[in-house]
Amino acid sequence: MTDVMTARGARPRAAAQPVRWAADAVAMMREGARVRLDYSAQSLWRVDRMIEEIRREGAPYAAVESELRGFGAYAGEVIAWHTGAEWWATGGEHWVRTPEGRLWDPIDEARRCFGGHGSLRLLCRDAVNGPGR
């Protein structure tokens, strides 16, 4: 497996795209919404609220699909930073695998948030707390 160099050091190649998507989401929030994201679990409150605002404004999914992907990737990075999880990819889909072997799909959770049925903050809480923590 090929590794990718990031601010956190060498990471599996599967992390390349999600890391970039997350960084884009951080920049978009900082420049467009004047909201600072710091890769903390608490920052996911702001992301959940931003997704809710976008949903309430009635934006069509197609218009915000890449932003949702970025928000999900950001949540995945938060999970990775706090648990030592790694990104896994297959068939164009990306998941986060926590050290105990559980798979999490933060990108799909961002889509669920947009539909009014999910929470990146709660997904992160569950992933960080994991079984036996």
Side-chain angles (χ1 to χ4, degrees), residues 15-53:
Q17 286 183 309
V19 166
R20 186 173 60 246
W21 297 332
D24 289 347
V26 169
M28 176 190 64
M29 290 289 283
R30 182 183 60 243
E31 295 165 12
R34 304 270 189 243
V35 173
R36 194 153 180 73
L37 299 177
D38 60 4
Y39 292 90
S40 68
Q42 295 81 8
S43 69
L44 292 172
W45 277 97
R46 289 177 284 233
V47 176
D48 276 347
R49 284 195 310 257
M50 179 60 67
I51 294 171
E52 175 63 22
E53 285 178 31

Side-chain angles (χ1 to χ4, degrees), residues 8 11 75-87 96:
R8 292 184 53 219
R11 298 184 62 192
E77 280 294 282
V78 171
I79 293 168
W81 286 37
H82 292 276
T83 67
E86 292 187 345
W87 283 99
V96 174

